[in-house]
C-alpha cells in the first residue's frame, strides 16, 4: 500500500512511520492505542489527526481526505474525535477529569464506527493521572481508540508503554523543512524560510513559530547560544546571555523548555548517527560543540533543567534559578 495515495502524504518525511500507519489502515487493524513520540513541533498531533481520519474514513485504504468523515476530522469538527491538551483551562489531565473521560468512553459514537481521543503531551500527566488512563487503555470498549503524543517515552509509565504501539517521529531534513515553510508561508522569502529551517534543525512547527513571532525567535536563538556556551564551559558569558530572560518568569520558563528540547535532540543525535540530517551541514550543532559534551553529560543537564523548572514553579526567582542552572551545569561539565 502506497501512502502517497492517502492523506498521509501531507505529512513531511518520516516515511517508515507513514508506511506503518497506512498498512495498519489498509489491513483494518489500526491499534486501539498508539503513542506518537517526537520533539515538540515535529507534527505529532497532525499525524494523530490523520490517523483518526484513517480510522473513520468511509473509503477503503484511507484516509482519502474527500469523504465526510475525513473532512470533518481534518477540520477538527468531527463529533467522535476529541483533542485534549494539558495546558487547556479545563485541566483535562486531572485525575477527576480523566475518570470522567473513562465514563464517556462507554457512550457509543455519534457519527462513525469509532470514538477517538487524541491526548497531547501525556508526559505532562502526573503518575497518578497516567495510572488512571492506564485503566482504560488496558481494556477499552471495542469502539474506542486512543492516540497519544509525547516528547520522550522516558517520562511515560512502563505499564502504559507495554500497552501501546509506539511510533517514533523525527524532524525533517533542513531542505525539506524550508520547502514546507515556503508552501505554508508564501509571504516569507526563500532566505527567511531557509534560515528558520536551519535554526530549528528542520523542525517545521518551531520554524513556523519563529517566522511568525519575533519574541519566540529571539528566545530560541538565545537557547541555542546558551547550549554552545554551556558546552564550552563559558559560565560568565552564559550568565550575561541569560540575564535578559531571567528578568521575567514566563520568558525564563520558555527558555528552559527550549534548552531541554535542544539537549534531548543532542542525546538523540549522538545515539542515532543514521538519523535524518539536522541543522547546518547535517548537524544540529557544529562538531566543535558536539564533541565537547557526552551523552551522559547531556542527560545530566536535562535532569538539571527539570530540577530548575520545578523550583521556578515553586516561586524561586528567575535570577536565582539562572545562577543555579549555570552552577550545576558547570559541575557536570
Amino acid at each position: 500500500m502506497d501512502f502517497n495515495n492517502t492523506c498521509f502524504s501531507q505529512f513531511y518525511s518520516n516515511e517508515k512511520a507513514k508506511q506503518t500507519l497506512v498498512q495498519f489502515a489498509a489491513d483494518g487493524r489500526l491499534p486501539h492505542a498508539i503513542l506518537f513520540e517526537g520533539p515538540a513541533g515535529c507534527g505529532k498531533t497532525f499525524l494523530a489527526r490523520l490517523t483518526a481520519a484513517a480510522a473513520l474514513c468511509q473509503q477503503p485504504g484511507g484516509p482519502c481526505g474527500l469523504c465526510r468523515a475525513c473532512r470533518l476530522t481534518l477540520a477538527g469538527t468531527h463529533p467522535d474525535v476529541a483533542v485534549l491538551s494539558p495546558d487547556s483551562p479545563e485541566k483535562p489531565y486531572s485525575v477527576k477529569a480523566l475518570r470522567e473521560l473513562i465514563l464517556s468512553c462507554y457512550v457509543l459514537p455519534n457519527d462513525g464506527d469509532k470514538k477517538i481521543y487524541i491526548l497531547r503531551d501525556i508526559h505532562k500527566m502526573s503518575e497518578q493521572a497516567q495510572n488512571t488512563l492506564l485503566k482504560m487503555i488496558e481494556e477499552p470498549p471495542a469502539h474506542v481508540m486512543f492516540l497519544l503524543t509525547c516528547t520522550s517515552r522516558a517520562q511515560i509509565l512502563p505499564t502504559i508503554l507495554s500497552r501501546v504501539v509506539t511510533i517514533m517521529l523525527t524532524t525533517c531534513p533542513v531542505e525539506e523543512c524550508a520547502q514546507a515553510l515556503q508552501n505554508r508561508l508564501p509571504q516569507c522569502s526563500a532566505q527567511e524560510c531557509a534560515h528558520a529551517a536551519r535554526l530549528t534543525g528542520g523542525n517545521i512547527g518551531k520554524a513556523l513559530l519563529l517566522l511568525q513571532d519575533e519574541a519566540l525567535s529571539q528566545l530560541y536563538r538565545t537557547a541555542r547560544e546558551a547550549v554552545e556556551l554551556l558546552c564550552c564551559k563559558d559560565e560568565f558569558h552564559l550568565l550575561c546571555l541569560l540575564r535578559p530572560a531571567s528578568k521575567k518568569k514566563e520568558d525564563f520558563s520558555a527558555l528552559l523548555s527550549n534548552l531541554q528540547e535542544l539537549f534531548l535532540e543532542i542525546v538523540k543525535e549522538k545515539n542515532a548517527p543514521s538519523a535524518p540530517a539536522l541543522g547546518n551541514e547535517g548537524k544540529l550543532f557544529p562538531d566543535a560543540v558536539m564533541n565537547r559534551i557526552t551523552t551522559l553529560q547531556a542527560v545530566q543537564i536535562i535532569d538539571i533543567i527539570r530540577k530548575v523548572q520545578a523550583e521556578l514553579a515553586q516561586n524561586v526567582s528567575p535570577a536565582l534559578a539562572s545562577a543555579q542552572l549555570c552552577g550545576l551545569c558547570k559541575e557536570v561539565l
Side-chain angles (χ1 to χ4, degrees):
M1 184 74 183
D2 185 0
F3 60 74
N4 290 313
N5 296 324
T6 73
C7 284
F8 284 119
S9 62
Q10 299 175 16
F11 192 75
Y12 287 91
S13 196
N14 293 280
E15 276 68 20
K16 182 178 179 181
K18 291 186 289 189
Q19 192 62 58
T20 298
L21 290 168
V22 79
Q23 195 62 58
F24 278 146
D27 295 344
R29 54 185 182 89
L30 278 165
H32 77 279
I34 300 175
L35 175 65
F36 297 98
E37 178 188 14
C42 74
K44 299 184 295 295
T45 302
F46 179 47
L47 188 57
R49 198 179 289 281
L50 289 172
T51 305
L56 295 168
C57 184
Q58 296 163 339
Q59 301 297 325
C64 67
L66 301 174
C67 70
R68 179 175 179 274
C70 280
R71 286 187 281 106
L72 290 176
T73 302
L74 297 178
T77 56
H78 198 292
D80 296 320
V81 180
V83 181
L84 283 70
S85 297
D87 303 322
S88 62
E90 296 78 15
K91 299 188 182 301
Y93 292 170
S94 67
V95 173
K96 179 181 178 182
L98 287 171
R99 286 173 178 162
E100 292 175 356
L101 180 146
I102 289 173
L103 291 175
S104 75
C105 288
Y106 292 98
V107 179
L108 292 174
N110 291 292
D111 197 48
D113 297 328
K114 292 285 185 183
K115 196 168 189 177
I116 301 172
Y117 296 88
I118 299 175
L119 275 59
R120 304 177 66 238
D121 296 333
I122 67 164
H123 57 278
K124 294 184 179 180
M125 283 186 182
S126 67
E127 183 174 339
Q128 186 180 7
Q130 288 191 39
N131 273 316
T132 303
L133 177 64
L134 173 65
K135 295 174 184 176
M136 179 51 64
I137 292 179
E138 284 180 319
E139 296 182 14
H143 61 267
V144 169
M145 175 185 289
F146 287 98
L147 302 175
L148 318 171
T149 77
C150 74
T151 57
S152 173
R153 73 182 74 184
Q155 296 170 271
I156 309 301
L157 291 178
T159 45
I160 288 182
L161 294 177
S162 67
R163 290 164 174 81
V164 301
V165 172
T166 301
I167 293 182
M168 285 280 296
L169 302 177
T170 65
T171 51
C172 296
V174 169
E175 296 77 9
E176 189 174 358
C177 176
Q179 185 59 55
L181 296 175
Q182 283 193 272
N183 293 340
R184 294 282 296 274
L185 300 174
Q187 70 273 23
C188 292
S189 68
Q191 291 79 6
E192 289 174 320
C193 291
H195 176 71
R198 285 195 300 271
L199 192 62
T200 59
N203 189 311
I204 295 176
K206 282 186 174 297
L208 285 169
L209 288 175
L210 294 188
L211 288 169
Q212 299 174 89
D213 190 320
E214 178 54 35
L216 287 175
S217 179
Q218 181 56 51
L219 274 176
Y220 196 76
R221 287 194 293 267
T222 299
R224 287 182 62 89
E225 189 174 347
V227 171
E228 297 189 15
L229 291 173
L230 272 170
C231 292
C232 295
K233 305 178 185 178
D234 191 340
E235 186 179 6
F236 173 75
H237 287 102
L238 178 61
L239 281 167
C240 293
L241 176 71
L242 297 180
R243 186 176 295 133
S246 63
K247 292 179 180 179
K248 192 174 180 182
K249 182 176 180 179
E250 292 78 10
D251 287 347
F252 193 65
S253 178
L255 180 62
L256 288 175
S257 295
N258 281 328
L259 276 174
Q260 180 176 329
E261 289 169 10
L262 286 171
F263 276 106
L264 280 168
E265 288 303 300
I266 287 174
V267 171
K268 290 178 182 178
E269 185 172 319
K270 278 183 165 289
N271 289 277
S274 60
L278 297 173
N280 196 20
E281 297 182 359
K283 295 287 185 179
L284 182 60
F285 289 99
D287 287 339
V289 173
M290 296 291 286
N291 293 339
R292 287 177 175 267
I293 186 170
T294 66
T295 300
L296 176 59
Q297 288 172 326
V299 170
Q300 290 173 321
I301 289 175
I302 291 169
D303 288 338
I304 289 170
I305 293 170
R306 288 173 180 160
K307 178 180 179 181
V308 173
Q309 285 175 319
E311 294 190 358
L312 193 65
Q314 296 297 321
N315 290 325
V316 170
S317 74
L320 183 60
S322 174
Q324 184 182 28
L325 173 71
C326 295
L328 291 173
C329 289
K330 182 181 178 181
E331 292 179 10
V332 167
L333 298 168

